[in-house]
Every structure is written in C-alpha cells, then in structure tokens.
Amino acid sequence: MTHPAEVVATPGQPSYLLGRELYKDIKKLHKTGAVYLNDSQLAGLKVKCAGLDLNTGTPMDRGPRFLQLASPDEIETFAKENNLFEEGVALYREDYDKGPIHESRWIMEFYHWWFTPLKEDVPFLQGGPWIFGDSLDSNEGWDVDVNSSWACHFSLRVKDKTKPDIIIYLIHNSPMEDDKFFVAELLCIIRHSYSNVKKLSYHDIAPVTLITGSWRNVRIVQGYVDGINGNIVMRKSETIRLTKDMETNFKGILQIARWLLATPFKESTVA
C-alpha cells in the first residue's frame, strides 16, 4: 500500500522534471529577445543535435523514429481529388507577394485549409489519427523585439490520446538560417514535450514535430525531452525553399504535407 506522502514514480517522470527545469531557462533566454541559438547556448540547455531525413522521417542520431510519413502517391491522389493546386494558386495570388509574414502565412493558410474542422467532407482527413487544434503559443506578452515575432498557428494531436505525439505549425518572422535553430523552436519543443509526458506519464518521452515556416522557407524540426539520458534531442531536416514557380513550389508543399498526414510510428519510449 502506498503511503499518502509518497510520490509514485512513472516512466515519464524523469522527462517531466528535466523539461520543467529547462523550460525556465529557455524562457529567460527568450525574454532577452534572442532569435537564434548558438553552440554555447545549446550546450548549456543540454541539447543534442542531429539531422532528420525529410523524405523518410528517419533520424540521423539512430534514436527512435516517431512518424510514418504518408506516401507520395497518397498525397498526390489526395491533392488531385480535392483540387488543392487550384486552391493554392488562389491563396498565392492573394498573399504571396505582400512581405515576409504574408509569405509564411500563405503556406500556413494552405495547410490550415486542409485541416479545418469545417471540411468534414474530406474522408481522408476524418479517417486519420489526428485531431485538429487552433493556435497554441506566440510571443504575445513577451518583451521581445517585433522582428523576432513568431506564433504556433495550429496543431495536430493523437485523436484517441494513446500517444503523446503532437505536430505543430510554427511561423517565424525572422530569416531561417540552415545551421541554426530558432529559440522559439526549442521553447515549443521543451514546453510541449514535458507537458505532454505529464499528461500521458506511462510514456518515457513525448515527441514534438514542428513544421517551421519562415518567409518562403519551410523545414521540419523534431525533438523531445529525454529525462533518462538527461538531455533534449533536436533534429532538423533540410530546408525546402518555395521560391520558384507555383507548380514547382506545389511539389515542395506536398512534400511537407507527407508529415502533416503522417501516422505515429513508434511507442514513445527511449530505446
């Protein structure tokens, strides 16, 4: 029998406790107005960096793979059946050339249009594992320079709540640098990883997948708080640059859509 004063350890407790402490540190850094993370800051925040294969979802750190991406054929069929190219062209004409924030919003609005709950006539989305959610975080209320503004505009969580995985679409108003993480990316990963592992404490870790849009650039950043090994894992894909004609850009949009229509692949435990 457990004594009332005793704390019952759960598989997710180490990750929750580590994430809670590191979240305090990343919030302090965010308040300074810092936009990017340097090597010293990453080391101080116990971040272990690795690459991420954009086409397969395979991490380069030999750690657990979390998402089974939708196949290219599935995405192309879905796009044709729902006239997504025509919709993308319409959004392109409206917002694409108005400036950095509008360029990022154009991409976000395109994906948002797919996942909006009003589109109940799209069985492909209804039958998937995810439930759509609106905006989560932003720099609103933070004392930061306007040039570093960012926001998480929508999320996808596992519908039946059996896994703590979450996919988040993040827009950043600062230029994307291939060799650097945004402070906002790490802040979101720490916050949602440690809070989600608290909700589903029978999991060791809670993976967070970000689709980060910055101007006409998009990339995947995936991470989690690993309390067992005492660090944060951050993986980053190559960048897709949507700077060409609409037809070429659309292929890049469909490549990212494979992540948004992915399926949770592995139990959230540390191998």
Side-chain angles (χ1 to χ4, degrees):
M1 182 174 180
T2 303
H3 190 278
E6 292 179 359
V7 176
V8 179
T10 61
Q13 189 179 46
S15 294
Y16 169 73
L17 294 175
L18 177 63
R20 186 178 63 179
E21 290 305 307
L22 293 177
Y23 186 58
K24 296 175 184 176
D25 295 333
I26 191 67
K27 282 202 301 183
K28 290 177 183 176
L29 179 61
H30 187 259
K31 280 187 175 181
T32 69
V35 177
Y36 308 100
L37 290 159
N38 59 39
D39 291 341
S40 175
Q41 290 165 335
L42 288 168
L45 289 163
K46 303 180 180 179
V47 177
K48 180 182 176 183
C49 301
L52 182 65
D53 192 303
L54 183 66
N55 296 309
T56 66
T58 303
M60 305 304 182
D61 55 11
R62 298 185 179 181
R65 174 185 167 193
F66 298 114
L67 296 176
Q68 176 68 52
L69 307 189
S71 73
D73 289 343
E74 282 181 298
I75 294 297
E76 289 180 12
T77 299
F78 174 63
K80 289 177 181 177
E81 290 178 350
N82 292 280
N83 300 314
L84 296 185
F85 180 78
E86 289 76 8
E87 178 68 17
V89 170
L91 290 170
Y92 172 93
R93 289 171 179 164
E94 182 177 349
D95 273 342
Y96 196 48
D97 292 315
K98 292 182 181 178
I101 248 319
H102 287 281
E103 292 169 4
S104 297
R105 284 189 62 83
W106 167 70
I107 303 165
M108 181 277 295
E109 291 288 355
F110 187 74
Y111 293 125
H112 192 285
W113 180 80
W114 290 14
F115 289 96
T116 175
L118 298 177
K119 285 192 66 62
E120 295 176 354
D121 59 328
V122 184
F124 189 88
L125 299 183
Q126 284 183 316
W130 307 102
I131 185 169
F132 178 93
D134 278 319
S135 60
L136 299 166
D137 307 290
S138 74
N139 70 333
E140 188 174 338
W142 294 96
D143 184 19
V144 296
D145 186 84
V146 68
N147 291 326
S148 64
S149 61
W150 61 274
C152 295
H153 280 272
F154 67 84
S155 68
L156 300 173
R157 296 178 184 271
V158 177
K159 199 180 297 182
D160 62 9
K161 300 182 180 180
T162 58
K163 294 184 180 180
D165 304 61
I166 184 172
I167 300 175
I168 298 171
Y169 195 95
L170 183 152
I171 286 181
H172 211 297
N173 195 30
S174 296
M176 183 177 289
E177 297 191 11
D178 292 344
D179 60 342
K180 292 181 180 179
F181 288 105
F182 286 121
V183 172
E185 289 175 320
L186 181 56
L187 187 150
C188 288
I189 283 174
I190 295 176
R191 174 179 177 178
H192 292 286
S193 185
Y194 95 82
S195 61
N196 286 348
V197 84
K198 181 183 179 182
K199 296 172 186 174
L200 295 175
S201 59
Y202 49 88
H203 292 273
D204 292 336
I205 55 177
V208 179
T209 301
L210 303 176
I211 289 89
T212 301
S214 168
W215 298 23
R216 301 188 186 192
N217 305 308
V218 187
R219 70 185 179 197
I220 307 297
V221 174
Q222 189 177 74
Y224 57 93
V225 179
D226 180 358
I228 294 176
N229 294 305
N231 56 37
I232 297 171
V233 175
M234 289 274 285
R235 303 162 174 169
K236 176 164 52 66
S237 77
E238 65 182 276
T239 300
I240 292 182
R241 306 192 187 283
L242 304 174
T243 57
K244 301 178 181 178
D245 61 276
M246 186 57 199
E247 188 169 348
T248 303
N249 289 343
F250 189 67
K251 292 179 181 178
I253 288 172
L254 294 185
Q255 191 172 10
I256 295 293
R258 295 182 62 204
W259 289 80
L260 286 165
L261 296 176
T263 302
F265 179 74
K266 184 176 176 64
E267 290 298 327
S268 299
T269 55
V270 179

